[in-house]
Amino acid sequence: MEPNTNPSSSNPPIARPPRRSHSPYRGGGRSGAPSHSRAEGTQGRPQGRSGASQTAGGRKSEGGRGKRRGGHQQRRRSTTAPALTHRMTLTNEKNPVLPEVTDEDTVRVIPVSGVEEIGRNMIIVETKDDIVVIDAGFQFVSEESNAPGINYILPNTQYLEERRHKIRALIITHGHLDHIGGIPFIMERIGNPPIYTQYLTSLMILKRQEEFPHMDPVTMQVIKEGESFTVGKLKVKTFPVTHSIPDAMGVAVETKHGDVVITGDIKLVHEEGKVVVEERASWEKVGLNKNLVLLCDSTNADREGFSASEERVYETLESIIRAATGRLIIGTFASQFDRLINIIKTCEATGKKVLMEGRSIKTNIDIAIMAKLLEVKPHTFIGAGDLGDYPSDKIVILSTGAQGEEFAALMRMATDKHKFVTLNERDTVVLSSSIIPGNEIAVQKLKDNIYRKNVKVINYKGSHVHSSGHGNAGELVWVHQAVKPKFLVPVHGHHYHLKSHMYAAIENGFPRENVVVPDNGTIIDIKNGTELIRHAVKIPTEMVLVDGFTVGTRQEVVLRDRLSLAQDGMFVIIATVNSKTGKLRKSPDIISRGFVYLRENQQLLSEARVLIKRTVEKETERMNPIDLDLVKDQLTDVVSGFLMQKTQKTPMVIPVLIGV
């Protein structure tokens, strides 16, 4: 990907990333921010839904707000894939009747998902005439989810699909996948509303959209933190927040009786628990408004006090890079833009070369260069095949896979499966990330494999090489007191995170009756700005899964069959049946996979063949004409019972009867 050449977006090179993760166009009004997205291979779209769409392969508009060149590119239907056009079978359960917002004095807030889990964040703010959706993330599937073969879990958008005529905008707070990952899968379902977000986030969204060329192009409205815009009858105000990625922002939706404030993912920039002036001023400005309800990040609410500073992480990594006497392999999240930029700048200052290993890191560095967050000196980056051309103490490898992913670069290095990198005793591996809940076993396997190479390992438990992008309980309480909302709704986290958030708020003076701890799909109505109602009924929350080219609700039969195959295997019967007499033409063939090893179970095989022959011929004895489907059903039951009796296992029995 080539760097962006838009003159209006050119910033001076960043010697060190600023403490706040902010927009590259921060300050000086809108003169630095383009009025629409400017990604390579995409065409900007003017504000409003009637403008020309962004298209893959369209030409850029010139000069930020300049006149658009070229016309609307037609949707390329010849490349339509089944990814979003086929759904799994919906369940036949009767949906409950949901209350509607029928008056101007009611504001509805619904955490669609992301409040009983980490991931797939989505929040709905609804009034009588309008809906805005905040974030559309997905969740990766863990080994404990009992969903083999499933790629991702999405928010359930049935409520939105039924009210798509009211949806005015999708607002994205920042570019992490748990906030943007679901966009390609849900946009057509909810009417393809315009997306409002900041510049870096827009580039990340558009980069993902390139993987879905069959979809209608998205309408991207690039805004700058601190700006306001109107959609429908709703005024939406944005404000800067600190997170582990640039261009993170909070959102305040202005309603008749006060603002609905959504923080997104946040932490505070502080010095030993004292919030710095810039950070304090930003939050106190939000607190000047009449804030009706605060929906606040809870990911680290179970941790007391204030989180560690990212500045300390920068200092630690710099000292490690400077002191390294052999190759340095740093495993981190590809979305840690500021950290990656700081590492690259330190390498340039110390004369070291950088090898990027992992598609996501390469993509995000390209995006950082395009967004003018990073300017790289010539020859800073090297290819894997060039490692032998430099002394080992001059090499730093930025790698994906710190969470122990099986096929990521770091695991391939640790298991001698990497084509160019073989770990040795002179190497140092830095795991600059914490363990995501659910990845503990995978990370432990990774560490074991690395230690078998006698490699020195540095992680966040023994050194300040990682800082969370989420604030601890002390920071969240500080935010409550700065924003001064009437009601509080903890979001983003498992239930114990949300309850920990609630307890911290109550202990610091927030009224218990004004705190609502939601589940996925909880409907919260605030009437007249004073009365909070938590409805007993919820919006549909059945899991929506991405299964290869299929997107839809959980299809129990498919997943149950996969689990059955994994646990007990399969037993396939292939028999040729005389269509007139019902007799078998020859002894049936049997295939066993994941059940028993047939060569060591000849007696079982022999008895099964006799039983199959007897069952088929008995069922067809007085059948005229012969119905092989009925015979298959009976044969499945009989053979399943026989195998259970003999082996105490229940493999999937699949009879294939061929009439001749």
Short mmCIF file of all heavy atoms in Angstrom, two decimals, residues 327-373:
data_model
loop_
_atom_site.label_atom_id
_atom_site.label_comp_id
_atom_site.label_asym_id
_atom_site.label_seq_id
_atom_site.Cartn_x
_atom_site.Cartn_y
_atom_site.Cartn_z
N ARG A 327 19.46 -11.16 18.47
CA ARG A 327 18.20 -10.80 17.83
C ARG A 327 17.12 -10.58 18.88
O ARG A 327 17.05 -11.28 19.89
CB ARG A 327 17.75 -11.90 16.87
CG ARG A 327 18.53 -11.98 15.61
CD ARG A 327 17.94 -12.99 14.65
NE ARG A 327 17.73 -14.30 15.27
CZ ARG A 327 17.36 -15.40 14.62
NH1 ARG A 327 17.17 -15.34 13.31
NH2 ARG A 327 17.21 -16.54 15.25
N LEU A 328 16.25 -9.63 18.61
CA LEU A 328 15.15 -9.32 19.51
C LEU A 328 13.84 -9.58 18.76
O LEU A 328 13.61 -9.01 17.69
CB LEU A 328 15.23 -7.86 19.95
CG LEU A 328 14.27 -7.41 21.06
CD1 LEU A 328 14.53 -8.18 22.34
CD2 LEU A 328 14.43 -5.91 21.30
N ILE A 329 13.03 -10.48 19.31
CA ILE A 329 11.73 -10.79 18.70
C ILE A 329 10.66 -10.25 19.64
O ILE A 329 10.57 -10.67 20.80
CB ILE A 329 11.53 -12.30 18.48
CG1 ILE A 329 12.60 -12.85 17.52
CG2 ILE A 329 10.15 -12.59 17.93
CD1 ILE A 329 13.76 -13.51 18.20
N ILE A 330 9.87 -9.29 19.16
CA ILE A 330 8.83 -8.66 19.98
C ILE A 330 7.47 -9.10 19.47
O ILE A 330 7.08 -8.78 18.34
CB ILE A 330 8.95 -7.12 19.94
CG1 ILE A 330 10.34 -6.68 20.42
CG2 ILE A 330 7.86 -6.49 20.81
CD1 ILE A 330 10.57 -5.19 20.34
N GLY A 331 6.75 -9.82 20.30
CA GLY A 331 5.39 -10.23 19.96
C GLY A 331 4.40 -9.29 20.61
O GLY A 331 4.42 -9.10 21.83
N THR A 332 3.53 -8.69 19.82
CA THR A 332 2.55 -7.74 20.36
C THR A 332 1.30 -7.74 19.50
O THR A 332 1.24 -8.41 18.46
CB THR A 332 3.15 -6.32 20.44
OG1 THR A 332 2.25 -5.48 21.16
CG2 THR A 332 3.41 -5.75 19.06
N PHE A 333 0.29 -7.00 19.94
CA PHE A 333 -0.93 -6.86 19.15
C PHE A 333 -0.66 -5.94 17.96
O PHE A 333 -0.06 -4.88 18.11
CB PHE A 333 -2.06 -6.27 19.99
CG PHE A 333 -2.48 -7.12 21.15
CD1 PHE A 333 -2.36 -6.66 22.45
CD2 PHE A 333 -3.01 -8.39 20.95
CE1 PHE A 333 -2.75 -7.44 23.52
CE2 PHE A 333 -3.41 -9.18 22.01
CZ PHE A 333 -3.28 -8.71 23.30
N ALA A 334 -1.12 -6.34 16.80
CA ALA A 334 -0.90 -5.52 15.60
C ALA A 334 -1.63 -4.19 15.69
O ALA A 334 -1.28 -3.23 14.99
CB ALA A 334 -1.37 -6.29 14.36
N SER A 335 -2.65 -4.09 16.54
CA SER A 335 -3.42 -2.85 16.66
C SER A 335 -2.79 -1.86 17.62
O SER A 335 -3.31 -0.75 17.79
CB SER A 335 -4.85 -3.18 17.13
OG SER A 335 -4.82 -3.84 18.38
N GLN A 336 -1.67 -2.20 18.25
CA GLN A 336 -0.98 -1.28 19.16
C GLN A 336 -0.14 -0.30 18.32
O GLN A 336 1.08 -0.34 18.33
CB GLN A 336 -0.09 -2.07 20.13
CG GLN A 336 -0.86 -2.93 21.11
CD GLN A 336 -1.23 -2.16 22.37
OE1 GLN A 336 -1.05 -0.96 22.46
NE2 GLN A 336 -1.76 -2.86 23.36
N PHE A 337 -0.82 0.59 17.61
CA PHE A 337 -0.14 1.49 16.68
C PHE A 337 0.96 2.29 17.36
O PHE A 337 2.10 2.35 16.88
CB PHE A 337 -1.14 2.45 16.03
CG PHE A 337 -1.90 1.87 14.88
CD1 PHE A 337 -3.02 1.08 15.09
CD2 PHE A 337 -1.50 2.10 13.57
CE1 PHE A 337 -3.73 0.54 14.03
CE2 PHE A 337 -2.20 1.57 12.50
CZ PHE A 337 -3.31 0.78 12.73
N ASP A 338 0.64 2.95 18.46
CA ASP A 338 1.63 3.80 19.12
C ASP A 338 2.86 3.01 19.55
O ASP A 338 3.99 3.47 19.42
CB ASP A 338 1.00 4.48 20.34
CG ASP A 338 0.04 5.60 19.94
OD1 ASP A 338 0.03 5.95 18.76
OD2 ASP A 338 -0.68 6.11 20.82
N ARG A 339 2.63 1.82 20.04
CA ARG A 339 3.75 0.99 20.50
C ARG A 339 4.61 0.54 19.33
O ARG A 339 5.84 0.57 19.40
CB ARG A 339 3.22 -0.22 21.28
CG ARG A 339 4.29 -0.94 22.08
CD ARG A 339 3.69 -2.03 22.95
NE ARG A 339 2.73 -1.49 23.88
CZ ARG A 339 1.95 -2.24 24.67
NH1 ARG A 339 2.04 -3.56 24.60
NH2 ARG A 339 1.10 -1.69 25.49
N LEU A 340 3.98 0.12 18.25
CA LEU A 340 4.73 -0.28 17.06
C LEU A 340 5.55 0.89 16.51
O LEU A 340 6.72 0.72 16.14
CB LEU A 340 3.78 -0.80 15.98
CG LEU A 340 3.03 -2.11 16.27
CD1 LEU A 340 2.02 -2.41 15.18
CD2 LEU A 340 4.00 -3.27 16.42
N ILE A 341 4.92 2.07 16.47
CA ILE A 341 5.63 3.25 15.97
C ILE A 341 6.82 3.58 16.86
O ILE A 341 7.92 3.87 16.37
CB ILE A 341 4.66 4.44 15.89
CG1 ILE A 341 3.61 4.20 14.79
CG2 ILE A 341 5.41 5.74 15.62
CD1 ILE A 341 2.46 5.17 14.82
N ASN A 342 6.63 3.50 18.17
CA ASN A 342 7.73 3.78 19.09
C ASN A 342 8.88 2.80 18.92
O ASN A 342 10.06 3.19 18.93
CB ASN A 342 7.21 3.73 20.52
CG ASN A 342 8.25 4.14 21.53
OD1 ASN A 342 8.59 5.31 21.65
ND2 ASN A 342 8.80 3.16 22.25
N ILE A 343 8.56 1.53 18.73
CA ILE A 343 9.60 0.51 18.52
C ILE A 343 10.38 0.80 17.24
O ILE A 343 11.62 0.74 17.21
CB ILE A 343 8.96 -0.90 18.47
CG1 ILE A 343 8.42 -1.29 19.85
CG2 ILE A 343 9.97 -1.93 17.98
CD1 ILE A 343 7.57 -2.55 19.84
N ILE A 344 9.66 1.11 16.17
CA ILE A 344 10.33 1.39 14.88
C ILE A 344 11.22 2.61 14.99
O ILE A 344 12.36 2.61 14.50
CB ILE A 344 9.28 1.56 13.77
CG1 ILE A 344 8.57 0.22 13.51
CG2 ILE A 344 9.92 2.07 12.49
CD1 ILE A 344 7.33 0.32 12.65
N LYS A 345 10.74 3.67 15.64
CA LYS A 345 11.55 4.88 15.80
C LYS A 345 12.79 4.61 16.65
O LYS A 345 13.88 5.13 16.36
CB LYS A 345 10.71 5.99 16.44
CG LYS A 345 9.69 6.61 15.50
CD LYS A 345 10.39 7.19 14.28
CE LYS A 345 9.42 7.85 13.33
NZ LYS A 345 10.12 8.30 12.09
N THR A 346 12.67 3.80 17.69
CA THR A 346 13.82 3.45 18.51
C THR A 346 14.84 2.64 17.70
O THR A 346 16.05 2.85 17.82
CB THR A 346 13.38 2.66 19.75
OG1 THR A 346 12.44 3.43 20.50
CG2 THR A 346 14.56 2.32 20.64
N CYS A 347 14.35 1.73 16.87
CA CYS A 347 15.24 0.94 16.02
C CYS A 347 16.01 1.84 15.06
O CYS A 347 17.21 1.66 14.84
CB CYS A 347 14.45 -0.12 15.26
SG CYS A 347 13.81 -1.46 16.28
N GLU A 348 15.31 2.82 14.49
CA GLU A 348 15.99 3.75 13.58
C GLU A 348 17.05 4.55 14.32
O GLU A 348 18.16 4.77 13.81
CB GLU A 348 14.97 4.69 12.94
CG GLU A 348 14.08 4.01 11.91
CD GLU A 348 13.14 4.98 11.21
OE1 GLU A 348 12.84 6.04 11.78
OE2 GLU A 348 12.72 4.66 10.08
N ALA A 349 16.73 4.96 15.56
CA ALA A 349 17.69 5.76 16.33
C ALA A 349 18.92 4.96 16.74
O ALA A 349 20.00 5.52 16.94
CB ALA A 349 17.00 6.32 17.58
N THR A 350 18.78 3.64 16.84
CA THR A 350 19.90 2.79 17.27
C THR A 350 20.53 2.03 16.11
O THR A 350 21.37 1.16 16.32
CB THR A 350 19.41 1.79 18.33
OG1 THR A 350 18.30 1.04 17.82
CG2 THR A 350 18.98 2.51 19.60
N GLY A 351 20.11 2.33 14.88
CA GLY A 351 20.70 1.70 13.72
C GLY A 351 20.31 0.26 13.52
O GLY A 351 21.04 -0.51 12.87
N LYS A 352 19.15 -0.13 14.03
CA LYS A 352 18.71 -1.53 13.90
C LYS A 352 17.69 -1.67 12.78
O LYS A 352 16.99 -0.71 12.43
CB LYS A 352 18.15 -2.03 15.23
CG LYS A 352 19.18 -1.96 16.35
CD LYS A 352 18.81 -2.81 17.54
CE LYS A 352 19.94 -2.79 18.57
NZ LYS A 352 19.74 -3.76 19.65
N LYS A 353 17.64 -2.87 12.22
CA LYS A 353 16.73 -3.16 11.13
C LYS A 353 15.49 -3.87 11.66
O LYS A 353 15.57 -4.63 12.64
CB LYS A 353 17.41 -4.04 10.07
CG LYS A 353 18.67 -3.41 9.48
CD LYS A 353 18.38 -2.10 8.76
CE LYS A 353 19.64 -1.51 8.14
NZ LYS A 353 19.38 -0.23 7.48
N VAL A 354 14.38 -3.61 11.00
CA VAL A 354 13.10 -4.15 11.46
C VAL A 354 12.55 -5.13 10.42
O VAL A 354 12.41 -4.79 9.25
CB VAL A 354 12.07 -3.03 11.71
CG1 VAL A 354 10.73 -3.62 12.15
CG2 VAL A 354 12.61 -2.06 12.76
N LEU A 355 12.23 -6.33 10.88
CA LEU A 355 11.54 -7.33 10.06
C LEU A 355 10.12 -7.47 10.59
O LEU A 355 9.93 -7.77 11.77
CB LEU A 355 12.26 -8.67 10.12
CG LEU A 355 11.52 -9.87 9.50
CD1 LEU A 355 11.30 -9.67 8.01
CD2 LEU A 355 12.26 -11.17 9.77
N MET A 356 9.14 -7.25 9.74
CA MET A 356 7.74 -7.41 10.13
C MET A 356 7.27 -8.81 9.74
O MET A 356 7.34 -9.19 8.57
CB MET A 356 6.86 -6.36 9.45
CG MET A 356 7.16 -4.93 9.89
SD MET A 356 6.05 -3.73 9.12
CE MET A 356 6.56 -3.84 7.40
N GLU A 357 6.80 -9.57 10.72
CA GLU A 357 6.31 -10.92 10.48
C GLU A 357 4.86 -11.02 10.91
O GLU A 357 4.55 -10.88 12.09
CB GLU A 357 7.17 -11.94 11.24
CG GLU A 357 8.46 -12.31 10.54
CD GLU A 357 8.20 -13.00 9.20
OE1 GLU A 357 7.55 -14.05 9.18
OE2 GLU A 357 8.65 -12.47 8.18
N GLY A 358 4.00 -11.23 9.96
CA GLY A 358 2.57 -11.32 10.25
C GLY A 358 1.80 -10.33 9.39
O GLY A 358 2.14 -9.15 9.31
N ARG A 359 0.77 -10.83 8.74
CA ARG A 359 0.00 -10.00 7.80
C ARG A 359 -0.61 -8.78 8.47
O ARG A 359 -0.57 -7.68 7.93
CB ARG A 359 -1.10 -10.86 7.17
CG ARG A 359 -2.01 -10.11 6.22
CD ARG A 359 -3.17 -10.98 5.77
NE ARG A 359 -4.10 -10.24 4.95
CZ ARG A 359 -5.30 -10.68 4.60
NH1 ARG A 359 -5.68 -11.88 5.00
NH2 ARG A 359 -6.11 -9.96 3.86
N SER A 360 -1.17 -8.95 9.68
CA SER A 360 -1.86 -7.84 10.32
C SER A 360 -0.90 -6.73 10.70
O SER A 360 -1.25 -5.54 10.61
CB SER A 360 -2.62 -8.34 11.55
OG SER A 360 -1.75 -9.00 12.45
N ILE A 361 0.32 -7.08 11.12
CA ILE A 361 1.30 -6.04 11.44
C ILE A 361 1.70 -5.28 10.18
O ILE A 361 1.77 -4.04 10.18
CB ILE A 361 2.53 -6.65 12.14
CG1 ILE A 361 2.21 -6.92 13.62
CG2 ILE A 361 3.75 -5.75 12.02
CD1 ILE A 361 3.37 -7.45 14.43
N LYS A 362 1.95 -5.99 9.10
CA LYS A 362 2.31 -5.32 7.85
C LYS A 362 1.19 -4.40 7.38
O LYS A 362 1.43 -3.26 6.95
CB LYS A 362 2.62 -6.36 6.77
CG LYS A 362 3.86 -7.21 7.06
CD LYS A 362 4.04 -8.29 6.01
CE LYS A 362 5.24 -9.17 6.33
NZ LYS A 362 5.38 -10.29 5.37
N THR A 363 -0.05 -4.88 7.48
CA THR A 363 -1.19 -4.07 7.04
C THR A 363 -1.32 -2.81 7.88
O THR A 363 -1.51 -1.70 7.35
CB THR A 363 -2.49 -4.90 7.15
OG1 THR A 363 -2.41 -6.01 6.25
CG2 THR A 363 -3.70 -4.05 6.78
N ASN A 364 -1.19 -2.95 9.20
CA ASN A 364 -1.39 -1.78 10.06
C ASN A 364 -0.24 -0.78 9.96
O ASN A 364 -0.46 0.43 10.10
CB ASN A 364 -1.59 -2.24 11.51
CG ASN A 364 -2.98 -2.83 11.72
OD1 ASN A 364 -3.82 -2.80 10.83
ND2 ASN A 364 -3.23 -3.36 12.90
N ILE A 365 0.97 -1.26 9.72
CA ILE A 365 2.07 -0.32 9.49
C ILE A 365 1.84 0.45 8.20
O ILE A 365 2.08 1.67 8.12
CB ILE A 365 3.42 -1.06 9.46
CG1 ILE A 365 3.77 -1.59 10.86
CG2 ILE A 365 4.53 -0.14 8.96
CD1 ILE A 365 3.92 -0.53 11.91
N ASP A 366 1.36 -0.23 7.16
CA ASP A 366 1.01 0.46 5.91
C ASP A 366 -0.06 1.53 6.16
O ASP A 366 0.02 2.64 5.63
CB ASP A 366 0.50 -0.54 4.87
CG ASP A 366 1.62 -1.34 4.22
OD1 ASP A 366 2.78 -0.90 4.34
OD2 ASP A 366 1.33 -2.38 3.61
N ILE A 367 -1.05 1.19 6.98
CA ILE A 367 -2.11 2.15 7.29
C ILE A 367 -1.54 3.33 8.08
O ILE A 367 -1.90 4.49 7.85
CB ILE A 367 -3.24 1.46 8.07
CG1 ILE A 367 -4.00 0.49 7.14
CG2 ILE A 367 -4.21 2.48 8.67
CD1 ILE A 367 -5.05 -0.35 7.84
N ALA A 368 -0.63 3.05 9.02
CA ALA A 368 -0.02 4.13 9.80
C ALA A 368 0.77 5.09 8.91
O ALA A 368 0.75 6.31 9.11
CB ALA A 368 0.90 3.54 10.88
N ILE A 369 1.45 4.53 7.91
CA ILE A 369 2.20 5.37 6.96
C ILE A 369 1.23 6.20 6.13
O ILE A 369 1.43 7.39 5.90
CB ILE A 369 3.10 4.49 6.07
CG1 ILE A 369 4.22 3.85 6.91
CG2 ILE A 369 3.69 5.31 4.93
CD1 ILE A 369 5.04 2.81 6.17
N MET A 370 0.15 5.58 5.68
CA MET A 370 -0.84 6.30 4.89
C MET A 370 -1.48 7.43 5.69
O MET A 370 -1.72 8.53 5.17
CB MET A 370 -1.93 5.33 4.42
CG MET A 370 -3.07 6.00 3.66
SD MET A 370 -4.34 4.83 3.17
CE MET A 370 -3.45 3.87 1.95
N ALA A 371 -1.73 7.19 6.98
CA ALA A 371 -2.36 8.19 7.83
C ALA A 371 -1.38 9.24 8.35
O ALA A 371 -1.76 10.10 9.13
CB ALA A 371 -3.04 7.51 9.01
N LYS A 372 -0.11 9.14 7.92
CA LYS A 372 0.93 10.08 8.33
C LYS A 372 1.23 10.00 9.82
O LYS A 372 1.72 10.95 10.42
CB LYS A 372 0.56 11.52 7.95
CG LYS A 372 0.36 11.74 6.46
CD LYS A 372 1.63 11.46 5.68
CE LYS A 372 1.44 11.73 4.19
NZ LYS A 372 2.64 11.44 3.40
N LEU A 373 0.92 8.86 10.43
CA LEU A 373 1.32 8.63 11.82
C LEU A 373 2.79 8.24 11.89
O LEU A 373 3.42 8.38 12.94
CB LEU A 373 0.48 7.51 12.44
CG LEU A 373 -0.97 7.83 12.78
CD1 LEU A 373 -1.69 6.57 13.20
CD2 LEU A 373 -1.05 8.87 13.88
#
